[in-house]
Amino acid sequence: MDTADRLETQVIIVGAGPVGLLLAGELRLGGAEVVVLEQREAPTTESRASTLHARTMEILDSRGLLAGLGTPPQEPRGHFGGIPLDLTLPSRYPGQWKVPQFRTEELLQEWALGLGADIRRGHQVHALNPGDQAEYVEAEATGPGGRRVLVRGRHLVACDGEEGTVRRLTGVVFPGQSATRELLRADVDGIEVPDRRFERLPRGLAIAARRGDGVTRVMAHVFGSTAQPRTGEAEFGEVVAAWKQVTGEDISGGTPLWVNTFGDASRQLVHYRRGRILFAGDAAHVQMPIGGQALNLGLQDAFNLGWKLARQLRDPGDEALLDSYHTERHAVGRRVLGNIRAQAMLLLGGPEVEPLRTLLTELIRHEKVRAHLAGMISGLDIRYQLPGPAHPLLGARLPHTVLTSPQGRVSVSELLRTGRGVWINPGVDVPDGARLGTLTGRPEEGPLTDKDSVLVRPDGHVAWAGSTGTPPPAEALGPGWEATA
C-alpha cells in the first residue's frame, strides 16, 4: 500500500534560502500556487552572506519590504579584488547595506508566508520525474519522521544552492572549474585583533572586522596554498593555523561560532531551463562570494523569473517569455562570474599579482573606470537586450521616478508593489484586449519628461519606451500583460 502524502501545486521550489523564498513570494504575488521543500528543519541562524547591493535594495523597495529591515548599516565603499572602490552611483540606496543572511531570510519568509506560500521544512528531495513529455513534474521527498511525500506541479525551480540536489538528479551539464584556492573564515568571540581590510602581508591575506556584539569575523589565505577536497566544513584549528602563519597572532583562545571556507570555483549551467525544471541562484551558477555578489546575483535571478513564471501559468502558450529568463539571466551570470574570477586572482594571488593591483589602483581613480566597476558590482548597470526602437532606457531598470497624477504623488516603486507592470503617461486609450491599465502623470523626479511614455515590467525594467501619445506595439505588450491602473 502506498502511504505517501500527495500534494498538488503549480510550482515546486526546492530550497528555502533567500533565493527560494523571494521566488516563492514573487510567484504568490503573481497568483501562482507554490510549495517550497527545504531539507533544513529550521531557518539558518548563521550570518553567512551579509551584503545587499543597491539593485537588491531597490528590488526590496519595489515590494514594500525595506521597512522590515529597519536601518541597516550602509557603507559607500566596497572593493574590487581587495582594492578600495567607491560604489556610489545614482540610486536611492547606493553602496553596500549590511544585513545578516538570517535576517534577509526571516524577512522573505514572513512575506512569502503572508502571501500564502506553503513552506515545508525537513523535506529532503531524493527523486524527480522531470515530466519532459507530460504536463507536470513530480518531486519525491522524505519528510519529518521518514514520511514519504510526493509533490506534483506544473514546474519545479531548483534553488537548492551550490551542492545542487536537483542538478544531480537531472544530470544537467555544469561546466567550469573546481576551486584551486580558498579563503578560511570564522566568526570568533573573545579575541582581540586589529581590524584589517584586505591586508596583504608577506605570507598571505588577512581580513578582520569586529561586530557590534563583540564577535570578530576573521578571514585568512596563505599565499601559495591550494584548496583541499572537503566532505564537511573546515575545523577552527585550520583557521587558527592560517591566521598565525599570516599575521603572527594567536586566536586559539577564542570561541568559534561559525567556521566556513569558500573557494574560487566557477561554474555555470549551460541552460537555466530544462523543460519544466528551472534553476536559480547557486543552483544555476557557483562562484566565489566576493563582495556579496553571489547572494545578490541569486536574488536578482528570482526576481527576473518570478513574474515570468507566474504569467506563463496564466497564459500557457507564452513560452518565449519563460525562455527569456535563461536568455537574460545567463548573460548576466556569465558577466558576474567573469568579474569574480578576475577579483579572485587579484585577491588570492601572491606577489606575482602586485603589478596588476598597482595598475588597477591607478585606473580606479578615473571616474569612468570607477563607475563602470561600481555599476557591475551593484547590479545597477544591468540592461537586457529587448526588441524595440533604440532608447536610453530600453532594457534598463527604471531609476527612481516620482509622478504627480490625479491620484496624488506616487513613485514607480510603489506602483510595482502589486507585482504587475505599469504603463506610464501614454496619453492614449488602452489597446483592446491588452488588459493594460495606465497611469497618466507629470514626472517630478527621475529621468522621464512630459514627452516620455514607458512600459515598465514587474521587475522594474523598461520593456518599451517612446513618445507621449504613442502606444506600445503589440509585441511589447505580449499576451496577458497586466499593469497598475
Side-chain angles (χ1 to χ4, degrees):
M1 178 180 294
D2 187 351
T3 59
D5 294 332
R6 296 180 180 274
L7 299 173
E8 296 281 344
T9 189
Q10 289 183 303
V11 182
I12 306 164
I13 297 175
V14 180
V19 176
L21 293 171
L22 177 60
L23 179 61
E26 284 295 296
L27 288 167
R28 286 300 303 141
L29 201 59
E33 298 174 358
V34 181
V35 171
V36 183
L37 303 176
E38 167 57 52
Q39 64 178 347
R40 295 175 302 172
E41 295 184 356
T44 183
T45 58
E46 299 165 350
S47 55
R48 292 188 177 269
S50 59
T51 298
L52 299 180
H53 285 297
R55 179 58 189 147
T56 301
M57 294 292 284
E58 291 180 351
I59 286 170
L60 296 178
D61 183 26
S62 71
R63 294 301 182 258
L65 295 173
L66 282 187
L69 292 180
T71 55
Q74 187 262 355
E75 171 58 64
R77 183 180 59 166
H79 71 93
F80 189 89
I83 299 171
L85 176 67
D86 182 358
L87 294 174
T88 303
L89 288 172
S91 170
R92 295 186 73 193
Y93 310 103
Q96 299 179 340
W97 300 78
K98 295 301 181 180
V99 181
Q101 181 172 322
F102 69 82
R103 181 67 196 103
T104 301
E105 289 190 14
E106 286 175 350
L107 176 75
L108 295 175
Q109 176 171 285
E110 181 181 358
W111 179 59
L113 288 172
L115 291 170
D118 183 353
I119 301 175
R120 301 195 173 218
R121 294 190 174 274
H123 285 70
Q124 173 66 56
V125 174
H126 55 79
L128 292 176
N129 175 5
D132 290 338
Q133 304 302 320
E135 296 183 355
Y136 65 88
V137 58
E138 190 171 70
E140 182 175 338
T142 302
R147 184 75 176 178
R148 184 164 162 259
V149 180
L150 293 175
V151 188
R152 176 178 290 188
R154 294 275 302 280
H155 293 275
L156 181 146
V157 186
C159 302
D160 52 346
E162 187 172 340
E163 298 305 317
T165 297
V166 176
R167 284 201 314 266
R168 175 175 55 81
L169 293 173
T170 55
V172 294
V173 178
F174 196 43
Q177 65 180 38
S178 300
T180 58
R181 292 172 291 193
E182 65 182 3
L183 196 60
L184 293 155
R185 62 178 171 178
D187 288 344
V188 189
D189 196 11
I191 61 172
E192 295 286 343
V193 297
D195 277 4
R196 291 180 167 93
R197 184 176 174 84
F198 302 106
E199 186 172 338
R200 291 174 63 84
L201 299 167
R203 293 188 176 183
L205 173 72
I207 304 165
R210 189 178 179 88
R211 303 192 316 226
D213 59 2
V215 174
T216 301
R217 172 165 291 186
V218 297
M219 304 186 198
H221 170 73
V222 178
F223 291 151
S225 63
T226 58
Q228 302 300 315
R230 297 185 181 277
T231 57
E233 296 290 3
E235 299 291 334
F236 182 51
E238 295 179 69
V239 182
V240 170
W243 190 261
K244 178 78 171 179
Q245 187 173 350
V246 172
T247 69
E249 299 167 356
D250 184 4
I251 60 172
S252 62
T255 302
L257 305 180
W258 175 57
V259 180
N260 175 259
T261 63
F262 57 89
D264 59 353
S266 182
R267 296 185 180 276
Q268 186 180 26
L269 285 179
V270 175
H271 299 290
Y272 284 12
R273 181 185 182 190
R274 179 180 176 177
R276 295 186 177 275
I277 298 177
L278 300 105
F279 300 82
D282 286 351
H285 40 75
V286 171
Q287 58 286 305
M288 195 172 187
I290 293 178
Q293 287 189 90
L295 171 63
N296 290 267
L297 180 63
L299 290 172
Q300 291 161 29
D301 286 345
F303 200 60
N304 182 282
L305 175 59
W307 71 273
K308 294 177 178 178
L309 183 50
R311 177 175 148 185
Q312 200 275 337
L313 289 165
R314 295 194 304 270
D315 298 277
D318 194 14
E319 291 291 323
L321 179 66
L322 191 53
D323 285 338
S324 74
Y325 164 65
H326 164 80
T327 303
E328 294 181 354
R329 294 306 301 172
H330 191 275
V332 172
R334 183 172 61 248
R335 184 171 184 244
V336 171
L337 264 62
N339 92 57
I340 287 177
R341 286 197 300 272
Q343 291 192 69
M345 289 188 285
L346 291 168
L347 194 64
L348 303 182
E352 72 277 5
V353 303
E354 288 303 326
L356 287 175
R357 293 178 59 85
T358 299
L359 176 62
L360 186 58
T361 300
E362 295 176 2
L363 291 175
I364 286 175
R365 297 190 185 115
H366 295 273
E367 176 57 19
K368 287 186 177 180
V369 176
R370 183 206 69 80
H372 177 81
L373 295 177
M376 182 187 304
I377 290 173
S378 66
L380 293 175
D381 73 346
I382 293 172
R383 182 170 185 162
Y384 301 128
Q385 298 301 309
L386 301 180
H391 190 282
L393 291 174
L394 182 64
R397 111 273 187 217
L398 182 68
H400 177 61
T401 299
V402 177
L403 307 168
T404 297
S405 72
Q407 293 77 34
R409 193 172 185 269
V410 63
S411 71
V412 174
S413 291
E414 292 170 320
L415 295 173
L416 292 175
R417 290 175 186 174
T418 62
R420 298 183 295 171
V422 57
W423 184 11
I424 300 173
N425 197 28
V428 296
D429 293 333
V430 180
D432 291 340
R435 291 195 290 162
L436 181 66
T438 68
L439 182 80
T440 300
R442 180 174 59 82
E444 275 194 9
E445 298 179 32
L448 301 182
T449 70
D450 291 337
K451 297 180 180 180
D452 290 319
S453 173
V454 295
L455 178 62
V456 185
R457 305 190 324 187
D459 61 0
H461 284 259
V462 176
W464 175 87
S467 301
T468 299
T470 304
E475 57 267 26
L477 296 173
W481 247 102
E482 294 177 316
T484 300

